Amino acid sequence: MAERHIELEIVDRPSAKDMSQCVHCGFCLQECPTYLQLGLETDSPRGRIHLLQAVTEGRAEPTPSLVSHLDLCLQCRACETACPSGVPFGRIMESGRAMLVQSGRVPLAWRLRVWLLRQLFPYPKRLRLLFSLLRLYQRSGLRWLLRTSRLLRILPGGLAEAESMLPEVPSRAYEPPAEPSTGAAAARRVALLTGCVMPLLYPRTHEATVRVLDRHGLQVVAPPEQGCCGALNLHAGDRRTARELARRNIDAFLSAGVEAVVVNSAGCGSTLKEYGELLEQDPEYAEKAQRFSALVRDVTEFLTELPFEPPRGAVRQRVTYQDSCHLVHAQQVRSAPRELLRAIPGLELVELESPDRCCGSAGIYSLAQRDMSLRLLDDKMRDVAATLRAEPTGSADVPVIATANPGCMLQMEAGLRRHGLPGRVVHIVELLDEAYAAEEET
Ligand code: SF4
Ligand code: SF4
């Protein structure tokens, strides 16, 4: 990424005002996945706010033990939804982590994570190379060799388990069309955020999104200058890299002359909607960032705000919906995905017991906090199995898990494999796309 902007020395720290909004009522505790697993106040939202207050007021040192409680937070923001006092927990945790990273008070593994994210995500070519190597490993027979030789099992760090959770890399990446998706006569024009990993892992989701928007008479463009949204850097505490990426996206999208920036990745969407806050102290970008964020829409909310055209074709499947944390808690979009699913003829929507509890994906949390991530994933898969009665019966009626974020898709796919459950995982727009395609058969 070319350094196009001299980073202002913005010093990040959680705001005392934000933290003082917490009245210690504890309503958030029963919604916090890590508190529910461990039962420890220090791994609850209230406890983490208390720890950050103690550090910022100089009453506590950021010892490795203290920092570990902050690192175990998923940043799922379920506590924000539950909080009657409107505590902006996501903002508190992001700036708290940035404070620790900027002051060098995080362990080596965390520093390494920050460095790796900074070296990879702003650079699409490096990401492409990484995924090409992964694909080569999966297709060349090397994976088969390693698995059958059991070599992975004698390597340290749960490598065999981590390897078994790797996603299958598709043979081709998403390439945005050189021309806008639909006729130049279309009165409405929107931009698609293509993102960093999504084109490499889920090209089918982008293609379905463009077809569904096109079906509604929208001209879809994908500005080539856009890049990664910066969510992973932001969550790791590297707000400086996130700000660089934000400036790049703001320039790319504001010059595209579109009425909306449509996003099919909930984690990216919530980050884009908060660029205004990320750049509020940047005199050059503060206003532009606010203007940009106002254009951002998750694809599900955008479709329901249109005159939405329900499909006439049927998708005769049992579907359950996993709320993506950054859609339901960070963006407060809960009903739009369900409205779209219910609009598909033949589709039976069955709700999970806890659809808005984190699946343990949380960006790179599934790598950085493997044990907790697997505990949450196992709970989620038990919920899925009970809801869909998806015992491994070999039935042809393969159940479907729909969601709205690539991280959740990866995690749920890994969960199905890990639990030997039948099923497929899709983005909601893929089901809509299938229903529109099925119209030709009716
Ligand atoms: S963001 Fe999620 S994991 Fe972190 S404190 Fe809030 S509810 Fe708990
Ligand atoms: S619900 Fe809100 S006010 Fe109550 S303890 Fe949790 S964060 Fe604090």
Side-chain angles (χ1 to χ4, degrees):
M1 179 178 59
E3 195 76 8
R4 293 174 298 106
H5 187 96
I6 298 168
E7 174 60 75
L8 304 165
E9 281 306 309
I10 298 170
V11 178
D12 291 292
R13 53 189 288 127
S15 122
K17 186 164 165 265
D18 283 350
M19 292 189 288
S20 70
Q21 276 177 251
C22 175
V23 295
H24 317 295
C25 66
F27 285 169
C28 54
L29 300 193
Q30 292 306 317
E31 298 304 322
C32 173
T34 55
Y35 179 79
L36 289 175
Q37 290 289 335
L38 303 174
L40 295 173
E41 176 71 15
T42 43
D43 290 309
S44 76
R46 183 174 63 185
R48 289 176 175 131
I49 293 171
H50 183 74
L51 293 178
L52 280 168
Q53 271 176 322
V55 171
T56 52
E57 291 166 9
R59 291 184 283 109
E61 278 295 302
T63 60
S65 158
L66 185 151
V67 168
S68 71
H69 296 298
L70 303 177
D71 197 20
L72 197 63
C73 171
L74 293 139
Q75 295 181 286
C76 67
R77 295 166 69 168
C79 44
E80 279 189 22
T81 301
C83 178
S85 301
V87 172
F89 188 87
R91 187 161 74 200
I92 293 171
M93 182 53 71
E94 274 173 16
S95 45
R97 287 184 176 191
M99 172 183 73
L100 295 171
V101 167
Q102 286 167 21
S103 61
R105 303 299 298 267
V106 291
L108 181 64
W110 188 336
R111 287 208 292 275
L112 193 62
R113 204 189 312 158
V114 168
W115 181 82
L116 272 174
L117 292 171
R118 188 182 292 153
Q119 295 308 315
L120 264 182
F121 284 84
Y123 304 98
K125 283 186 185 161
R126 292 182 194 176
L127 273 179
R128 273 183 187 253
L129 177 64
L130 181 72
F131 279 85
S132 300
L133 292 174
L134 190 53
R135 188 167 53 229
L136 188 67
Y137 164 74
Q138 292 174 339
R139 307 278 163 83
S140 65
L142 187 60
R143 174 169 67 178
W144 177 84
L145 196 67
L146 277 178
R147 283 183 179 178
T148 49
S149 70
R150 299 187 161 263
L151 192 61
L152 283 168
R153 304 218 168 267
I154 58 172
L155 293 176
L159 211 65
E161 195 173 66
E163 194 273 346
S164 71
M165 305 278 283
L166 281 176
E168 209 60 36
V169 181
S171 52
R172 59 178 182 84
Y174 175 73
E175 294 295 345
E179 295 298 320
S181 67
T182 195
R188 301 181 66 177
R189 180 179 160 96
V190 298
L192 176 71
L193 176 88
T194 49
C196 52
V197 168
M198 195 89 170
L200 304 169
L201 282 179
Y202 294 110
R204 63 172 209 243
T205 307
H206 275 345
E207 287 158 3
T209 303
V210 172
R211 281 193 294 270
V212 169
L213 292 170
D214 187 87
R215 162 75 185 228
H216 287 82
L218 293 149
Q219 192 183 82
V220 186
V221 295
E225 303 82 9
Q226 64 173 302
C228 171
C229 67
L232 296 180
N233 308 87
L234 197 60
H235 294 159
D238 182 7
R239 281 165 82 90
R240 291 182 179 168
T241 302
R243 287 190 181 104
E244 278 303 323
L245 291 165
R247 293 182 190 108
R248 177 159 95 183
N249 282 325
I250 289 167
D251 289 341
F253 285 103
L254 284 186
S255 58
V258 291
E259 67 171 88
V261 177
V262 179
V263 187
N264 56 17
S265 160
C268 307
S270 83
T271 301
L272 298 184
K273 285 183 177 179
E274 290 168 3
Y275 275 0
E277 186 185 301
L278 184 65
L279 293 169
E280 66 188 350
Q281 293 180 52
D282 182 327
E284 191 186 338
Y285 276 84
E287 181 276 328
K288 286 195 271 189
Q290 294 286 357
R291 203 152 30 96
F292 167 81
S293 289
L295 293 176
V296 179
R297 290 283 180 284
D298 182 77
V299 64
T300 58
E301 66 178 332
F302 185 73
L303 286 169
T304 51
E305 284 165 7
L306 288 171
F308 171 64
E309 192 186 320
R312 294 187 306 278
V315 174
R316 299 193 190 286
Q317 286 192 301
R318 240 176 154 223
V319 177
T320 195
Y321 175 63
Q322 162 67 16
D323 284 288
S324 299
C325 299
H326 281 84
L327 192 58
V328 68
H329 299 307
Q331 299 184 56
Q332 299 292 317
V333 176
R334 190 182 291 268
S335 62
R338 292 174 169 82
E339 272 177 50
L340 295 177
L341 289 170
R342 289 198 179 100
I344 298 176
L347 187 149
E348 184 195 356
L349 176 63
V350 277
E351 290 281 2
L352 294 170
E353 192 183 324
S354 306
D356 60 356
R357 182 147 308 143
C358 184
C359 63
S361 171
I364 61 160
Y365 190 94
S366 53
L367 300 173
Q369 297 288 355
R370 188 127 198 87
D371 289 348
M372 179 58 74
S373 172
L374 287 177
R375 284 169 77 155
L376 297 173
L377 178 60
D378 289 344
D379 282 356
K380 182 61 67 181
M381 296 325 290
R382 282 190 275 275
D383 193 356
V384 166
T387 304
L388 292 173
R389 291 188 292 280
E391 297 303 325
T393 56
S395 157
D397 180 22
V398 177
V400 177
I401 305 170
T403 185
N405 187 53
C408 312
M409 289 164 76
L410 283 174
Q411 181 84 340
M412 302 299 272
E413 284 169 356
L416 289 178
R417 288 198 299 278
R418 181 174 158 86
H419 285 253
L421 294 170
R424 67 180 177 122
V425 182
V426 294
H427 192 287
I428 292 168
V429 286
E430 293 175 57
L431 291 172
L432 278 176
D433 186 46
E434 284 176 32
Y436 289 124
E439 287 178 351
E440 286 157 25
E441 296 157 19
T442 55

